[in-house]
Amino acid sequence: MNSVDKQSTKKPPLIWLNIFVFSFSMLLAVVAAPVYGYFFGYGMEHWIWLAICFTFCNLSITTGYHRLWSHKAFEAHSSLRFMFALGGAFALQNSALHWSSDHRVHHKHVDNNDKDPYSAKRGFWYSHIGWMIRNYSTSMYENYENCRDLKKDKIVMWQHKHYVLLALLMNFGVPIALGVIYGDVLGMLLIVGAVRLVLNHHTTFFINSLAHIWGSQPFTDKNTARDNGVLAVLTFGEGYHNFHHIFENDYRNGIYWWQYDPTKWLIKSASLMGLASKLKKTPQARIEKAEASMLLKRTQQKIMHRADKQQIAEKLQQEFDALVSNMNEYYEVKKQLLESKREDVVKKYEHSVLKVRYQQIKMNFEQQKKNWAMTVEQYA
């Protein structure tokens, strides 16, 4: 192998600061914290503040860094953005500007081993933590060209400029202050400092790793992203990752009321209090069409071994086309009905006629959904 080949295959240099932070915090969390607890014990205050700080940090990442700044899924009041900036520094995951730049590249080049900064196709270890312990991106952060909108946000730039100071103040100042209040500085440093940091790191890291490996793909199979209810609990709603990668600007990840997505609930609550606005939602027709398209694709694959696959495929396509047609008509009339309710000038008679039409189309759509489900079930 010549010198040029050796240079091209040489691994990037290690980032020793990151290695120290990950290793030392883990050592404190799994060794020092249990030992201290065995000899001195922890009170209820330790666990309560662990839960509070863990939740604050993770929601700052999922709501602030991710859905607000990376994807512009909503707009937030300056007070809320300030809290997210502090929480992001507390979570110790770099500045919002840096984090968002990485994440936008990830979405633009998902699963591309050469361009995706934490491509899941390079394995669990790499996507989970390995991409952060070597300097794989040497010239990516010179000007943050993919975040020109964020460079206009004074809070984002303030946090970016003072990130190291803020990270130190939050990660040492908060546990020490709590320790002074409750008379156990070392205990708070171990629980609210180290244990909380390790939990924050690895639960959010799961979004890049496990959420691209473990779960279902109800909306798209064009990338490795998965939906997983268990991961949603661990990641404050980010586990519905298959939906997110096809509808990335939606302020929700869990679109159904029963799906655990506290980040979505926080954003919605903030909007009701006047602290958030312009919440983006994907039209329901697009969501249902994506689900139906995936179901069609999987069913077509299952019938490939059958002798009558051509006839079945034609039947499936006919039912799918009828479903989409009914779906489009239903949501269009529903939109018209909602708009007519807002317009005082609309005559009651016209509104009632539209309502009758809507009910009939709704019945047709529901029946077509049943027909579609029965057709697919025959060959599943």
Side-chain angles (χ1 to χ4, degrees), residues 230-264:
V230 174
L231 281 180
V233 174
L234 296 175
T235 60
F236 289 73
E238 301 288 81
Y240 300 108
H241 212 52
N242 188 253
F243 173 85
H244 173 64
H245 262 273
I246 190 173
F247 304 118
E248 62 183 54
N249 299 120
D250 199 311
Y251 85 93
R252 312 160 299 166
N253 274 12
I255 55 172
Y256 302 111
W257 67 267
W258 47 267
Q259 290 180 318
Y260 185 79
D261 187 358
T263 302
K264 168 188 69 178

Side-chain angles (χ1 to χ4, degrees), residues 23 51-52 132 152 154 157 170 197 230 244 275 331 369:
S23 302
I52 291 172
M132 290 179 284
K152 299 176 184 177
K154 292 181 180 179
M157 297 311 295
M170 295 300 293
L197 182 60
V230 174
H244 173 64
L275 296 174
Y331 283 111
K369 284 202 289 188

Side-chain angles (χ1 to χ4, degrees), residues 34-246:
V35 170
Y36 184 88
Y38 178 80
F39 286 104
F40 301 100
Y42 296 114
M44 185 60 67
E45 65 273 13
H46 292 86
W47 306 117
I48 290 174
W49 279 106
L50 169 64
I52 291 172
C53 292
F54 169 71
T55 301
F56 172 53
C57 289
N58 268 28
L59 283 175
S60 294
I61 296 296
T62 61
T63 313
Y65 276 36
H66 189 208
R67 302 192 198 182
L68 172 63
W69 285 315
S70 293
H71 293 296
K72 312 295 286 184
F74 68 104
E75 292 183 4
H77 188 269
S78 57
S79 60
L80 206 57
R81 303 201 316 274
F82 177 73
M83 293 301 294
F84 293 150
L86 292 181
F90 199 5
L92 205 61
Q93 294 191 28
N94 223 310
S95 71
L97 182 67
H98 190 102
W99 198 101
S100 299
S101 178
D102 272 338
H103 195 70
R104 289 180 180 185
V105 174
H106 165 65
H107 270 265
K108 185 177 181 179
H109 302 290
V110 61
D111 298 330
N112 184 322
N113 288 350
D114 296 321
K115 296 181 179 180
D116 183 349
Y118 31 87
S119 173
K121 288 192 173 181
R122 295 185 69 166
F124 172 83
W125 169 258
Y126 179 85
S127 60
H128 188 73
I129 198 172
W131 69 280
M132 290 179 284
I133 63 176
R134 287 187 181 275
N135 191 15
Y136 289 96
S137 302
T138 55
S139 60
M140 187 174 165
Y141 311 112
E142 291 178 356
N143 50 25
Y144 297 97
E145 275 299 305
N146 64 341
C147 292
R148 282 178 289 182
D149 56 318
L150 299 186
K151 290 166 76 174
K152 299 176 184 177
D153 188 320
K154 292 181 180 179
I155 292 176
V156 169
M157 297 311 295
W158 167 80
Q159 190 229 31
H160 183 70
K161 181 179 179 180
H162 303 289
Y163 174 75
V164 174
L165 177 61
L166 290 171
L168 290 172
L169 285 174
M170 295 300 293
N171 281 276
F172 289 99
V174 172
I176 289 173
L178 290 171
V180 170
I181 292 170
Y182 293 101
D184 184 10
V185 172
L186 185 55
M188 284 295 184
L189 277 169
L190 289 171
I191 295 299
V192 178
V195 173
R196 185 269 319 159
L197 182 60
V198 168
L199 290 174
N200 281 144
H201 275 168
H202 292 281
T203 50
T204 51
F205 295 172
F206 281 153
I207 303 167
N208 300 333
S209 56
L210 279 183
H212 282 264
I213 297 171
W214 178 31
S216 61
Q217 293 183 300
F219 300 99
T220 180
D221 60 357
K222 292 181 179 179
N223 56 69
T224 56
R226 302 287 198 275
D227 273 9
N228 189 308
V230 174
L231 281 180
V233 174
L234 296 175
T235 60
F236 289 73
E238 301 288 81
Y240 300 108
H241 212 52
N242 188 253
F243 173 85
H244 173 64
H245 262 273
I246 190 173

Side-chain angles (χ1 to χ4, degrees), residues 303-321:
I303 64 169
M304 290 305 293
H305 66 284
R306 297 182 56 141
D308 56 347
K309 62 182 179 182
Q310 185 63 37
Q311 294 90 327
I312 297 173
E314 290 176 1
K315 183 179 180 181
L316 284 168
Q317 190 63 51
Q318 288 174 359
E319 289 295 335
F320 175 79
D321 292 341

